[in-house]
Amino acid sequence: MLPNHLAAAYRGRGPTTPVLANSRGRSFGHRSRMASHHPQAISDNISTLRQQPSWKEWDELLVFVTNLPRDITTGELWSCFSREGHINKIDIKEDSTGVRNGKATVSFKPPPMKAFWGIRPYFVHLRHGGRAAVELRIDQKLRLFPLPGPQHPQRKFPEVMKMWANSIDFGIMYDQISMMIMHTVKSKSQKKIEVIQNMLHREIVVVFELDIKESTAGQPQFRSGSTSGYVRTETFRFHIPLAHLSKVYITHENADRIEFVLSLETPPNFSRKLPERDTHDEKARFWSENYAWYRQTDITHSPATLKSSPVALRKSKPIIDIGRWKTYRFSFDKAKNSQTQCLLMWQALRDYNVQVEPLADFRVAPNRESVVWDYIDKRLAVPQTASSALQDLMAADELHPVAFPVQYLLEVCISHGCLSEYNLGRDFISRLRFMKASDACNLLEYMASQGKRIFDPMTIFDLQVIKKPASEPQIPHYCTWVRSATVTPSTIYYHVPTVEISNRVIRHYSEHADRFLRVRFTDELLERKIFSTDKDTANEVFTRIKRTMQNGIIIGERHYLFLAFGNSQFRDGGAYFFAPLPYLHPQQMRAWMGSFTHIKSIAVYAARLGQCFSTTRAITGTKPEVYEIEDVERNDLVFTDGVGRISPLLACLVASELGILRTSPEPPSVFQFRLEGCKGVLAVSAAAAPKEISISIRPSQHKFDAIGEVLEIVRWSQLVAANLNRQLIIVLSTLGVADSVFLKKQRQQLSSLEKAMTDEKTALGLLQKDIDPNQMTLTLAGMLLDGFQQFEDPFVVSLLHLWRAWSIKCLKEKARILISQGAFLFGCVDETGQLRGHYRTKSPTKDETSLPQIFVQLSKDFDGNNNLRVMRGPMILARNPSLHPGDIRIVYGVDVAELHHLKDVVVMPQTGDIPLGRMCSGGDLDGDDYLVFWDKELFPPEWNHEPMDYTPPPKMEVRRRITSDDLTSYFVTYMKNDNLPTIAHAHLALADYLDEGVKASKCLELAALHSMAVDYFKTGVPAQLTRELRPSQWPHFMEKEHQKQYHSRKILGKLYDEVELVGFEHAYDLTFDSRILSAYQLDQSILDDAYEVKKEYDIAVRRIMAQHDIKSDFEVWSTFVLHHSRKMKDFKFHEEIGNLSSSLKDRFRSRCYEKAGSDRDIKHFVAAMYTVTAEEVALAVRERRLLEEEEEIENLTPAKMPFISFPWVFHDLLGKIAKDYQSKANGREDVSLSLPVDQSGHTSQKNAVLPTHEEQDASETGHRVTYCGQTLELVGGIGSGLDPTEAQLVTPSSGFSEATSDSGSLIDCIVPEGFSELVYNGDDKACEIDSEANEEHEELAVGEEKDVGKDDQVNEGDETKVCMTSRSSAVEKLAKLIKL
């Protein structure tokens, strides 16, 4: 129904009220009263129109043209037929072989004024002279497309509805009822302002003309209002998706005129129209009027001035600031618009959940200049208007800028619309300036995190904002604070600083870390990714990106310049900028990164720079010896491409520093690394001596020369579950695997997910099988073993439902089907040379004696048992993505005793004619992951189809030194030509549509193009997707909105249809676990301290949520993210959010230890964390019940509730507290083995012996023993076989300090930055010793204390410190315990 005031207004019209134009401006004539505004009457009106109208009443008319010359172009057809009417589309036809057949269709919208197709003959004039006689006929189908409404399908709306406006005002909302108008566009007599409501595309399109004046340096050459001096008139349009619109306000209405206002959160897409004759491509078969509309980034008098201007939030003298003036007022003359049309449009808006409401008190606020930029924009000088020295001094003081961190956060708030610069006066700036910078930052950061518009900015000073501690809590040593910006076509957004894992460059320039800016280029925020295109319609967007990288970004007093981009950043449209100093410029920083002068390929140069920006963890505890070893090469192919060696002892030291040994009894077998200019992986070597601390590098791993000796770790091998995806399924299906196999596995997975919500055994089984890359399913399984599902803890129950929703979403969108008999593993090479490789044969064979061999040893089975298993027999080996039928290889698993030191990796042969990994989608061994599974049901009838040739094209090179301008140009060119996603989608669609599947010739061509597109960032050679390879229709499971679709009957369509998405069910109304709430008597001080840290934690989580547009803290904690803003592959994003979540937990574990202090038991503090969270949630639930009595409690959402994940940074300690309390409540002590807990909150699963006093130092702290060092963490490592009932020692991952022995070794003294807890026989208390035992160690401890250097000092509050002072005693003991 329409608003009452509208219905009443229209019912009150007199008999002379005109009812005028329809959607093309034709008059409906005069009637005594409008027929009806009721929706049913509206539907009846549409039905009447459908009763056989003439072609003139159609929305669109299609003309078929035949007998055309084969080389006809769209431009020639447009030149001929445009004189007949407005052309919407031209399509030149081809036959099934791809050859033009002399036919075309020309679409007119609206239909032409006369029936020209009756002319015989009809001549088309050709571009080379002459003319061709053609035959014409029209499509007799009715071209009306009434669309059903989403709320009432029986209510139908025309596809397109149109009204004409007298004017548009562009501006901002000054307050809730006031608009500040910045520019007005008025309708011209010859060209009206069109407001088009397209219900097919669900958007409002506004078309208007604008006079562009001649100007110099952005300033008009004449006075405002002058009627002379106009240079040109341009036509613009902008699109407002209905999904971005929530309300339309009727602000004025009388007998003659009606006005409405709408305001958007993000700017719409603006375009400018070029002459249609200039937008045709001679080779193209298709043309659309949309090709004449070119995206706009600025509307200004002098676009040329933008060429050398830095990008900033404030634009200089725009005509219309399309990125920030997001409130629009439209004025309509009722005499020129149809009442029926108006009512239809508003009813359609309401059906699409856009409210149409009156705003009676609306007013226009007077326009005024903003003063805030005088304080934060360095481009503006202080005005020299004072007449005396005293006045000069006062003026300078008045405009004294605020501190840069405050400037930055103020621009964060302005860019996101939390504050408007027009609401900020001098009194606001004064209050901000005279606050402590830290308090001002806290306040502004809080404002930004709320994301709500504050119209009266002075009220924010009354807010009670949690203050950060006097000493800023340290973030993990491998992390850094990073400021970031998102540059869109029309504006720029700044973001609050977030904690991210650092890289080599930021670590080297750590004293200037706050001068780095991480920049991402996207489309408007709700559109996200900038897609590649082979047309010129987005040239302005790419030009803006180039300008940004060339001219930099202005934020406050700083001018950020382009530095470089990491390889992952590059694919994601991102780069690093740096604000230079007089002594430090980005050019100098690039020179420090390495020697690149020998590189002549811009793509390779960029990739080598990007190597320095890989997200890594630096290993500072030891310096390895570096040796060179040769590659294994054959047939001009490298079989050891990207893989080197690491000694077992160094692997232990690296794993210890990374904290891996806290949760694993042994170090990983493979590390992905960076060292100077080298990259790839390092596999543990059985050939290294026990005491050896070394790595061996191959020539294929050396990319450039660089200074630096620090080993950096990117990631490491671990057991991850194998999952199918759409590409693998379509290939296996083509090779002959039955549809029923996939359907059965998906049904089993869906059934298990449903049952897991109530059955703990089922949940444990599935969680331990379907291991995600971040190992969070194993963490969740541990929480279930601690009884939290049984006791219905709200966080754990919610987490289970989130995991289920995430898993089902992956099934629906990606066909991510779990393969329980498989794994997803790092690849490495067989250094022994015993594995049989692939040898070319005339035809594929199923003879197992000729299959290539691999070695796979898993550290555990998927039932959670830690049993080493060597997998034997036939297996499938593949890599993502697999598009070619030869990408899936059948191999044979064998047991090789000399490889038993390698686990959770797939070891590939170095023998054969071609590297095995290369046949799997062109893989190598520099960090690629491989799928290996031995599920016999998935073995296809056809084995080992001929593999594709993955030789990349020659690299594009230049014969000169590569410059920064080359890098930025390459960046933009790559963004415009990166067709990888488009090619992958085309391949999937055609593989589903064509009978031959992935074996069809078009699919094979697309697979080759895909390989070329994958290599584009290394070769600089783009993959061009031709029109012939683009699908004409799409399968329904790809969800291509506004594209022609068909319902797929193949396996992917069947799988898609069987999955129904489920929502994330929160369990806030459940009671928190009484085992923890009742465990201890907690005083108010510890609760207050826990509450203080929780507030800090909540702020940190909100930062991550805002950074990636994540909806809940459950998703941040678990990494099971349902929706995010990043247009990167889900696997890559899962890895990135895993890093962020891990560093967040590490940071707040350390913060909690710091806050708890040495005089409190950390378990008491953890219980306090749980208690304050429970109280917050209980209070919020009660408030919601009172405020929303009519709502069900299930409607509670994370947006309305406090964060609940805080105490679970200590999930293992919570489990211990709960089980200990439960054991005592049952009248018995817990006799199970206690796992000690380090500062980071992790439990250890390693055993260690307590060294004798000859091998260590000890000191006394109160009545407890303190041991110095971290080496003991390694003692119970690799297969030590120690008695688990003996003492256990766990140490933090915070890193090592280095000391040097007489021999110059860096491992003589390994001192941790944190502390450990010593635990005996399950007793969680520290070992108490009597005074005699203390006296035994006292003299040695005091003696050693005198020799402790500055770098070896330890904190007074540390409880356990172990210091190995003898190289022989430390290393020899470790070496003896290493079992290879």
Side-chain angles (χ1 to χ4, degrees):
M1 296 294 292
L2 291 169
N4 292 333
H5 77 287
L6 292 177
Y10 286 116
R11 282 196 298 269
R13 296 286 191 275
T16 60
T17 302
V19 182
L20 293 173
N22 65 5
S23 62
R24 291 188 297 277
R26 299 189 177 99
S27 172
F28 286 137
H30 293 269
R31 295 160 56 180
S32 60
R33 183 176 292 274
M34 178 179 171
S36 176
H37 59 268
H38 191 276
Q40 184 59 50
I42 292 172
S43 297
D44 294 342
N45 290 340
I46 298 175
S47 299
T48 304
L49 292 175
R50 295 183 61 191
Q51 297 175 5
Q52 301 301 324
S54 70
W55 57 266
K56 291 186 178 182
E57 297 299 325
W58 295 353
D59 284 345
E60 181 180 0
L61 184 140
L62 196 65
V63 177
F64 293 98
V65 188
T66 55
N67 294 336
L68 286 167
R70 299 300 172 93
D71 61 347
I72 195 74
T73 67
T74 59
E76 290 170 307
L77 291 174
W78 183 89
S79 297
C80 174
F81 290 105
S82 60
R83 62 175 181 259
E84 309 292 354
H86 178 74
I87 297 175
N88 180 37
K89 288 178 288 191
I90 298 173
D91 190 1
I92 300 174
K93 304 296 182 179
E94 292 180 343
D95 60 23
S96 58
T97 64
V99 177
R100 296 190 180 190
N101 57 14
K103 300 178 181 178
T105 57
V106 180
S107 172
F108 292 85
K109 191 174 184 178
M113 299 302 294
K114 61 180 181 179
F116 65 89
W117 49 88
I119 301 174
R120 300 286 190 277
Y122 193 95
F123 291 101
V124 173
H125 295 272
L126 306 177
R127 63 187 184 283
H128 300 306
R131 59 183 186 173
V134 299
E135 295 184 7
L136 307 178
R137 65 179 179 86
I138 64 169
D139 184 358
Q140 296 293 336
K141 296 178 183 178
L142 183 64
R143 308 305 293 175
L144 274 176
F145 305 106
L147 301 174
Q151 296 185 22
H152 305 283
Q154 72 278 8
R155 183 186 301 161
K156 299 184 183 297
F157 300 101
E159 177 185 335
V160 174
M161 296 175 278
K162 185 184 298 186
M163 293 177 66
W164 284 264
N166 291 347
S167 63
I168 315 174
D169 296 317
F170 297 85
I172 64 162
M173 289 302 292
Y174 185 75
D175 56 37
Q176 291 93 330
I177 60 171
S178 304
M179 176 183 179
M180 181 181 288
I181 297 173
M182 315 303 291
H183 187 83
T184 299
V185 175
K186 294 186 177 180
S187 178
K188 298 183 177 181
S189 56
Q190 66 274 24
K191 183 67 175 178
K192 304 295 183 183
I193 297 172
E194 300 178 61
V195 180
I196 304 162
Q197 198 162 298
N198 189 316
M199 303 313 300
L200 179 63
H201 294 162
R202 299 176 187 176
E203 64 179 1
I204 295 173
V205 182
V206 180
V207 183
F208 63 94
E209 285 190 345
L210 186 66
D211 293 324
I212 306 296
K213 306 173 183 179
E214 184 67 35
S215 64
T216 302
Q219 298 295 331
Q221 294 181 334
F222 44 84
R223 294 186 303 274
S224 177
S226 169
T227 57
S228 61
Y230 294 131
V231 175
R232 65 189 185 278
T233 298
E234 301 280 8
T235 302
F236 295 91
R237 76 177 183 187
F238 59 94
H239 299 251
I240 303 174
L242 297 187
H244 299 180
L245 191 60
S246 59
K247 289 185 179 180
V248 174
Y249 292 105
I250 308 297
T251 58
H252 175 81
E253 184 179 10
N254 58 26
D256 304 317
R257 183 166 54 92
I258 186 170
E259 295 176 353
F260 66 81
V261 170
L262 57 90
S263 190
L264 304 177
E265 291 186 4
T266 60
N269 290 346
F270 274 73
S271 302
R272 176 172 59 93
K273 190 172 187 179
L274 270 63
E276 292 182 349
R277 71 174 67 87
D278 300 332
T279 61
H280 296 267
D281 183 349
E282 288 189 1
K283 297 180 180 179
R285 295 190 301 104
F286 183 82
W287 178 89
S288 166
E289 66 170 334
N290 287 328
Y291 293 0
W293 290 97
Y294 278 51
R295 280 289 297 276
Q296 293 295 287
T297 62
D298 299 270
I299 300 180
T300 179
H301 287 293
S302 183
T305 60
L306 299 172
K307 186 175 181 180
S308 59
S309 299
V311 171
L313 183 58
R314 184 193 190 193
K315 293 186 177 181
S316 179
K317 304 294 183 182
I319 301 176
I320 301 173
D321 188 341
I322 61 178
R324 305 197 56 233
W325 300 347
K326 298 174 294 185
T327 299
Y328 314 94
R329 182 174 70 164
F330 297 86
S331 178
F332 296 91
D333 187 340
K334 288 185 176 179
K336 299 177 181 177
N337 289 281
S338 163
Q339 295 175 7
T340 302
Q341 195 80 335
C342 180
L343 293 170
L344 262 177
M345 291 172 71
W346 286 346
Q347 183 59 60
L349 289 176
R350 292 175 63 84
D351 267 27
Y352 281 89
N353 202 32
V354 179
Q355 301 302 313
V356 181
E357 299 177 356
L359 188 61
D361 298 330
F362 176 82
R363 61 188 180 86
V364 175
N367 202 331
R368 68 182 185 87
E369 289 293 326
S370 170
V371 301
V372 70
W373 302 111
D374 298 340
Y375 299 89
I376 63 175
D377 195 331
K378 65 172 285 187
R379 296 172 298 174
L380 300 177
V382 176
Q384 300 298 317
T385 57
S387 58
S388 69
L390 179 59
Q391 289 175 317
D392 287 340
L393 182 62
M394 292 175 62
D397 177 70
E398 188 175 343
L399 291 176
H400 180 71
V402 294
F404 177 76
V406 181
Q407 293 178 15
Y408 176 81
L409 285 168
L410 189 55
E411 292 208 45
V412 169
C413 293
I414 295 173
S415 68
H416 285 277
C418 304
L419 297 172
S420 170
E421 64 264 46
Y422 297 100
N423 294 121
L424 304 179
R426 296 185 188 277
D427 50 351
F428 177 86
I429 300 298
S430 296
R431 284 285 298 271
L432 211 57
R433 280 176 52 203
F434 289 106
M435 291 177 69
K436 287 177 59 177
S438 59
D439 292 342
C441 288
N442 288 345
L443 187 62
L444 292 172
E445 188 175 320
Y446 175 79
M447 291 300 307
S449 69
Q450 296 304 299
K452 298 177 181 178
R453 172 70 185 278
I454 301 296
F455 291 103
D456 183 359
M458 296 303 292
T459 60
I460 73 172
F461 297 108
D462 300 326
L463 296 175
Q464 296 296 319
V465 178
I466 182 70
K467 293 185 178 181
K468 295 179 182 177
S471 60
E472 181 77 15
Q474 290 190 348
I475 59 177
H477 64 92
Y478 54 86
C479 294
T480 184
W481 287 102
V482 176
R483 294 187 175 103
S484 59
T486 300
V487 179
T488 71
S490 64
T491 188
I492 184 169
Y493 300 89
Y494 306 117
H495 310 289
V496 296
T498 54
V499 176
E500 297 183 8
I501 296 179
S502 63
N503 55 58
R504 179 187 304 177
V505 179
I506 294 180
R507 279 193 295 269
H508 181 75
Y509 296 102
S510 58
E511 68 272 26
H512 305 304
D514 72 321
R515 302 187 76 85
F516 287 86
L517 183 71
R518 188 166 183 163
V519 179
R520 241 184 115 231
F521 298 93
T522 73
D523 210 324
E524 304 304 345
L525 278 189
L526 294 178
E527 304 292 336
R528 301 303 179 189
K529 184 177 175 61
I530 296 176
F531 292 99
S532 61
T533 177
D534 56 356
K535 305 179 185 67
D536 295 331
T537 51
N539 278 1
E540 279 294 318
V541 175
F542 295 109
T543 300
R544 174 172 165 84
I545 297 172
K546 173 63 178 177
R547 286 200 311 263
T548 306
M549 303 191 80
Q550 181 172 288
N551 304 327
I553 298 172
I554 295 287
I555 307 177
E557 62 189 24
R558 292 184 181 177
H559 187 177
Y560 288 86
L561 300 178
F562 166 73
L563 175 60
F565 39 80
N567 294 329
S568 295
Q569 264 189 310
F570 178 52
R571 297 186 184 95
D572 196 31
Y576 275 106
F577 283 52
F578 184 80
L581 294 162
Y583 53 87
L584 186 60
H585 191 274
Q587 184 61 43
Q588 296 170 271
M589 300 169 74
R590 286 191 290 268
W592 167 84
M593 293 178 207
S595 176
F596 310 106
T597 54
H598 64 287
I599 300 175
K600 299 302 178 185
S601 166
I602 299 173
V604 174
Y605 190 103
R608 298 298 172 251
L609 279 175
Q611 193 171 315
C612 300
F613 287 90
S614 297
T615 298
T616 57
R617 300 268 297 270
I619 304 302
T620 58
T622 186
K623 176 185 174 183
E625 295 291 334
V626 181
Y627 302 104
E628 293 185 9
I629 55 176
E630 294 300 316
D631 273 307
V632 177
E633 299 184 60
R634 193 180 305 109
N635 303 329
D636 295 327
L637 299 172
V638 182
F639 285 71
T640 53
D641 188 9
V643 61
R645 303 172 186 169
I646 184 172
S647 66
L649 181 54
L650 179 56
C652 284
L653 294 172
V654 170
S656 177
E657 188 163 345
L658 294 174
I660 300 170
L661 294 182
R662 292 193 301 248
T663 55
S664 173
E666 298 182 10
S669 297
V670 171
F671 297 89
Q672 188 176 15
F673 82 107
R674 302 286 186 267
L675 177 66
E676 299 176 354
C678 302
K679 67 185 287 284
V681 300
L682 300 171
V684 173
S685 172
K691 299 181 183 180
E692 191 174 327
I693 298 179
S694 67
I695 61 176
S696 300
I697 301 295
R698 289 188 160 96
S700 62
Q701 296 179 288
H702 185 270
K703 305 302 180 182
F704 60 91
D705 294 329
I707 300 173
E709 300 176 338
V710 177
L711 177 64
E712 301 169 308
I713 301 301
V714 181
R715 57 193 184 108
W716 49 88
S717 58
Q718 55 188 0
L719 180 59
V720 178
N723 290 278
L724 296 175
N725 56 38
R726 284 177 173 176
Q727 287 84 4
L728 280 169
I729 290 171
I730 202 72
V731 173
L732 287 170
S733 178
T734 300
L735 294 175
V737 178
D739 290 359
S740 58
V741 173
F742 304 109
L743 290 167
K744 183 183 77 171
K745 292 185 180 300
Q746 179 172 272
R747 289 166 186 164
Q748 289 173 344
Q749 188 170 349
L750 287 169
S751 175
S752 296
L753 285 167
E754 181 66 30
K755 189 177 179 183
M757 297 303 99
T758 54
D759 185 84
E760 183 178 301
K761 184 178 180 180
T762 302
L764 281 170
L766 192 53
L767 286 166
Q768 292 169 344
K769 287 184 175 69
D770 194 2
I771 305 173
D772 66 298
N774 293 321
Q775 310 280 292
M776 288 306 304
T777 56
L778 295 180
T779 300
L780 185 52
M783 293 157 74
L784 265 60
L785 288 172
D786 289 335
F788 288 113
Q789 183 184 25
Q790 177 186 351
F791 280 81
E792 294 188 329
D793 176 87
F795 180 76
V796 174
V797 172
S798 296
L799 219 56
L800 277 171
H801 284 282
L802 173 62
W803 165 65
R804 171 178 173 243
W806 177 78
S807 299
I808 292 176
K809 182 175 184 288
C810 292
L811 278 174
K812 182 76 170 178
E813 298 177 356
K814 308 292 182 183
R816 183 183 176 273
I817 300 175
L818 170 66
I819 305 303
S820 58
Q821 299 180 55
F824 186 61
L825 307 171
F826 257 146
C828 66
V829 75
D830 168 28
E831 297 285 0
T832 70
Q834 296 186 56
L835 296 178
R836 180 176 59 242
H838 171 83
Y839 293 92
R840 292 186 175 92
T841 57
K842 292 183 179 179
S843 59
T845 176
K846 294 187 178 181
D847 182 8
E848 295 178 353
T849 62
S850 63
L851 290 175
Q853 294 175 337
I854 62 172
F855 174 81
V856 175
Q857 180 179 219
L858 303 183
S859 61
K860 64 183 73 174
D861 58 30
F862 288 104
D863 293 322
N865 301 314
N866 295 325
N867 299 321
L868 288 174
R869 292 190 304 157
V870 176
M871 310 311 301
R872 302 176 180 87
M875 290 187 255
I876 291 177
L877 182 71
R879 180 174 164 270
N880 288 325
S882 294
L883 277 68
H884 190 274
D887 287 342
I888 292 180
R889 314 305 300 172
I890 308 297
V891 296
Y892 199 82
V894 295
D895 187 2
V896 178
E898 291 82 355
L899 298 177
H900 279 190
H901 61 287
L902 298 173
K903 65 182 186 307
D904 296 336
V905 295
V906 52
V907 185
M908 300 194 195
Q910 59 170 270
T911 60
D913 296 328
I914 182 173
L916 188 56
R918 185 183 179 87
M919 293 188 289
C920 299
S921 308
D924 54 27
L925 301 177
D926 69 349
D928 287 0
D929 300 281
Y930 291 85
L931 279 160
V932 55
F933 45 95
W934 46 94
D935 189 331
K936 296 297 188 290
E937 290 184 323
L938 292 171
F939 278 61
E942 180 183 350
W943 284 19
N944 291 333
H945 188 282
E946 183 66 21
M948 193 171 80
D949 181 9
Y950 283 99
T951 304
K955 298 179 177 66
M956 295 180 64
E957 297 186 344
V958 295
R959 297 182 179 180
R960 54 176 173 77
R961 188 167 184 168
I962 296 172
T963 65
S964 173
D965 184 63
D966 292 323
L967 292 174
T968 56
S969 295
Y970 172 60
F971 182 94
V972 178
T973 303
Y974 181 90
M975 287 190 71
K976 185 175 181 181
N977 294 289
D978 177 22
N979 288 317
L980 185 62
T982 308
I983 293 170
H985 279 213
H987 179 276
L988 185 63
L990 290 177
D992 181 84
Y993 182 75
L994 300 173
D995 292 337
E996 295 178 274
V998 297
K999 291 183 178 180
S1001 59
K1002 286 188 175 183
C1003 289
L1004 295 176
E1005 286 184 64
L1006 285 166
L1009 273 179
H1010 188 273
S1011 174
M1012 189 176 179
V1014 167
D1015 291 326
Y1016 177 25
F1017 87 100
K1018 293 183 290 187
T1019 64
V1021 181
Q1024 301 295 342
L1025 183 63
T1026 61
R1027 176 73 184 176
E1028 291 72 20
L1029 295 177
R1030 295 179 183 268
S1032 58
Q1033 51 186 333
W1034 300 86
H1036 73 290
F1037 61 80
M1038 296 187 72
E1039 299 178 347
K1040 293 285 186 179
E1041 196 174 358
H1042 307 317
Q1043 302 283 348
K1044 186 178 180 181
Q1045 298 188 31
Y1046 67 92
H1047 196 96
S1048 170
R1049 302 299 178 186
K1050 285 191 176 181
I1051 180 57
L1052 293 180
K1054 295 177 183 177
L1055 291 170
Y1056 177 88
D1057 290 341
E1058 287 204 356
V1059 179
E1060 292 294 332
L1061 293 175
V1062 297
F1064 171 24
E1065 299 177 13
H1066 319 94
Y1068 291 109
D1069 56 324
L1070 294 180
T1071 304
F1072 278 68
D1073 197 326
S1074 60
R1075 297 177 299 169
I1076 301 173
L1077 296 175
S1078 305
Y1080 308 110
Q1081 291 293 327
L1082 303 174
D1083 59 43
Q1084 192 60 42
S1085 65
I1086 196 171
L1087 292 172
D1088 291 343
D1089 287 345
Y1091 184 74
E1092 179 183 334
V1093 180
K1094 183 181 189 299
K1095 292 304 179 184
E1096 298 170 22
Y1097 173 86
D1098 290 353
I1099 290 172
V1101 172
R1102 254 188 212 98
R1103 281 174 168 164
I1104 297 175
M1105 291 170 60
Q1107 181 184 9
H1108 298 288
D1109 196 20
I1110 298 172
K1111 303 303 181 186
S1112 73
D1113 65 319
F1114 298 96
E1115 294 166 83
V1116 173
W1117 190 95
S1118 67
T1119 73
F1120 301 137
V1121 178
L1122 297 177
H1123 302 283
H1124 60 87
S1125 62
R1126 306 296 294 275
K1127 289 295 184 179
M1128 62 171 61
K1129 292 182 179 179
D1130 285 343
F1131 178 81
K1132 187 66 181 175
F1133 179 77
H1134 196 66
E1135 179 183 313
E1136 178 176 328
I1137 195 64
N1139 289 334
L1140 289 174
S1141 180
S1142 177
S1143 64
L1144 173 80
K1145 294 169 188 174
D1146 282 350
R1147 173 187 169 196
F1148 279 93
R1149 279 191 287 261
S1150 298
R1151 174 70 176 126
C1152 290
Y1153 270 98
E1154 174 191 325
K1155 195 69 176 176
S1158 59
D1159 58 336
R1160 289 173 176 164
D1161 188 328
I1162 186 61
K1163 287 186 293 184
H1164 287 222
F1165 195 84
V1166 172
M1169 296 162 62
Y1170 191 85
T1171 302
V1172 297
T1173 303
E1175 290 174 352
E1176 250 193 353
V1177 172
L1179 179 62
V1181 170
R1182 285 196 299 270
E1183 288 179 349
R1184 299 305 302 178
R1185 282 174 171 159
L1186 291 173
L1187 293 173
E1188 303 176 11
E1189 292 181 357
E1190 72 281 2
E1191 292 188 14
E1192 294 292 332
I1193 197 66
E1194 287 78 6
N1195 290 335
L1196 295 174
T1197 63
K1200 301 177 181 179
M1201 296 294 293
F1203 289 168
I1204 192 175
S1205 59
F1206 170 55
W1208 295 94
V1209 298
F1210 288 104
H1211 61 87
D1212 41 13
L1213 265 184
L1214 286 173
K1216 181 170 177 52
I1217 294 169
K1219 290 196 297 184
D1220 285 352
Y1221 179 83
Q1222 190 174 0
S1223 298
K1224 293 175 182 177
N1226 292 337
R1228 59 182 177 83
E1229 293 296 327
D1230 187 358
V1231 297
S1232 63
L1233 176 66
S1234 293
L1235 295 179
V1237 182
D1238 64 8
Q1239 280 194 37
S1240 302
H1242 292 285
T1243 44
S1244 171
Q1245 298 173 3
K1246 299 170 294 301
N1247 303 313
V1249 294
L1250 186 62
T1252 64
H1253 66 272
E1254 290 85 7
E1255 297 173 316
Q1256 66 172 22
D1257 294 343
S1259 62
E1260 180 182 353
T1261 304
H1263 295 289
R1264 310 182 77 177
V1265 173
T1266 299
Y1267 291 94
C1268 305
Q1270 192 163 7
T1271 309
L1272 283 182
E1273 182 178 2
L1274 307 178
V1275 174
I1278 305 179
S1280 64
L1282 297 176
D1283 186 353
T1285 63
E1286 293 190 37
Q1288 297 179 321
L1289 184 67
V1290 186
T1291 56
S1293 62
S1294 54
F1296 298 100
S1297 301
E1298 298 178 357
T1300 307
S1301 70
D1302 296 338
S1303 61
S1305 170
L1306 292 176
I1307 67 160
D1308 289 356
C1309 184
I1310 306 175
V1311 182
E1313 298 170 4
F1315 64 87
S1316 306
E1317 180 176 331
L1318 188 62
V1319 182
Y1320 284 95
N1321 299 328
D1323 186 359
D1324 59 345
K1325 297 181 180 179
C1327 173
E1328 296 186 3
I1329 58 178
D1330 57 27
S1331 58
E1332 292 180 4
N1334 278 335
E1335 289 170 3
E1336 279 190 55
H1337 299 277
E1338 187 174 5
E1339 184 177 352
L1340 178 60
V1342 171
E1344 286 298 325
E1345 189 174 354
K1346 296 177 182 178
D1347 296 327
V1348 174
K1350 181 179 179 180
D1351 291 338
D1352 300 326
Q1353 292 176 3
V1354 292
N1355 298 327
E1356 293 180 0
D1358 294 355
E1359 290 187 347
T1360 307
K1361 307 166 186 176
V1362 181
C1363 184
M1364 304 301 262
T1365 58
S1366 164
R1367 174 184 174 86
S1368 60
S1369 62
V1371 177
E1372 287 177 9
K1373 188 169 185 67
L1374 288 171
K1376 289 177 183 177
L1377 291 170
I1378 295 176
K1379 294 183 178 180
L1380 299 177

